[in-house]
Amino acid sequence: VSQPLRSKWPGGVFLWHERMSGELSGQVAIVTGGASGIGEAASLLMAEAGATVIVADVQEGKPGPARFVQHDVASEAAWKALLADTLAREGRLDIVVNNAGISGGPGNIENTTVEAWRKVDAINSEGVFLGCKYAIEGMKKTGPNKAASKGSIVNISSVAGLIGSAGPVAYTASKGAVRLLTKSVALYCAEKKYGIRCNSVHPGGVDTAIFKPLWQMVGHEQGKAFIGSVIPSAAWPNRPSWAMSFSGLRRIDRASSQGRKSSPTAASPPD
């Protein structure tokens, strides 16, 4: 039975969400960029629900219930190794949260360099493409404890991928790409009857490490005010919408254990 649970968010902020008692029991999840921010919160939430969680990140986070694997999302070789390791150790793959991303700085269309564009695209867009590709390969695998192909892919896009902005141009374009990639993957999996769902989540501004370059440039409060002026729905950790966004993520992840077929609709949690 679900019941309210007060979880402590890194930095001392508390989140209210529903306890997911055993809802993901027996499920195996990979969360990229899971050492901090949204990825860390998703990892903790799914671990509380009974999932075996692998945090795949370039940086190691704080000790917790998840297993850490050093991982570069922009490397196909790294994805092959991560999938092989997960299947060898856990025997199955059910959930992949493609969360890793960078901001790439505030560059606009006139001053963004090709190098900066490619770096953002390699992590934010190509990294999600690789994540989806190898998620499908892993989720199709069956065995003694998994009778049929099924799973749930959750791609973390951004409100910037829905409404666009004058800058940062590389980040905005990469998140727009994630949104339509998600639709393509969902439709493909439905067509193939894989039993694999793919959804995208589009958070507003969230006070995580991705904004550090902006905080360093203009200051924390000024930076938050700027983000709020660009994205009216920007949500900071002490607002209820932050907890609600993870409730939305929970509902998407839970679907893999309920066997629902893929949906081509990108899911956005309520603000």
Side-chain angles (χ1 to χ4, degrees), residues 28 39 54 65 78 107 113 118 122 130 135 183 191 205 208 217 222 238 246:
V28 176
I54 297 101
T113 65
R118 288 174 177 165
L130 290 170
K183 289 177 177 285
E191 183 181 278
T208 63
M217 190 183 308
Q222 249 185 302
N238 60 347
F246 292 112

Side-chain angles (χ1 to χ4, degrees), residues 43-201:
S43 298
L44 292 172
L45 204 58
M46 288 191 288
E48 285 178 359
T52 297
V53 181
I54 297 101
V55 167
D57 206 320
V58 292
Q59 61 175 351
E60 189 164 0
K62 295 179 288 295
R67 176 166 71 86
F68 173 77
V69 175
Q70 189 87 27
H71 181 64
D72 176 6
V73 296
S75 165
E76 185 167 17
W79 274 107
K80 289 179 179 179
L82 176 61
L83 178 59
D85 175 71
T86 300
L87 293 176
R89 295 183 60 165
E90 314 301 342
R92 61 187 290 164
L93 178 62
D94 303 279
I95 301 164
V96 171
V97 180
N98 288 306
N99 166 76
I102 60 173
S103 68
N108 57 47
I109 190 62
E110 290 192 290
N111 61 23
T112 297
T113 65
V114 172
E115 292 74 22
W117 174 277
R118 288 174 177 165
K119 181 178 180 180
V120 172
D121 185 69
I123 296 170
N124 292 10
S125 179
E126 193 169 306
V128 176
F129 154 72
L130 290 170
C132 291
K133 178 177 180 177
Y134 287 99
I136 291 169
E137 182 178 325
M139 291 171 184
K140 285 167 58 180
K141 300 284 186 184
T142 57
N145 62 348
K146 187 176 181 180
S149 165
K150 66 176 181 176
S152 176
I153 302 170
V154 181
N155 297 329
I156 307 301
S157 178
S158 167
V159 67
L162 296 173
I163 62 173
S165 65
V169 65
Y171 178 84
T172 299
S174 70
K175 292 302 186 179
V178 168
R179 177 173 178 261
L180 288 182
L181 170 66
T182 300
K183 289 177 177 285
S184 178
V185 171
L187 288 166
Y188 174 79
C189 289
E191 183 181 278
K192 292 290 185 178
K193 303 187 187 305
Y194 284 156
I196 298 170
R197 303 172 68 251
C198 188
N199 289 271
S200 57
V201 178

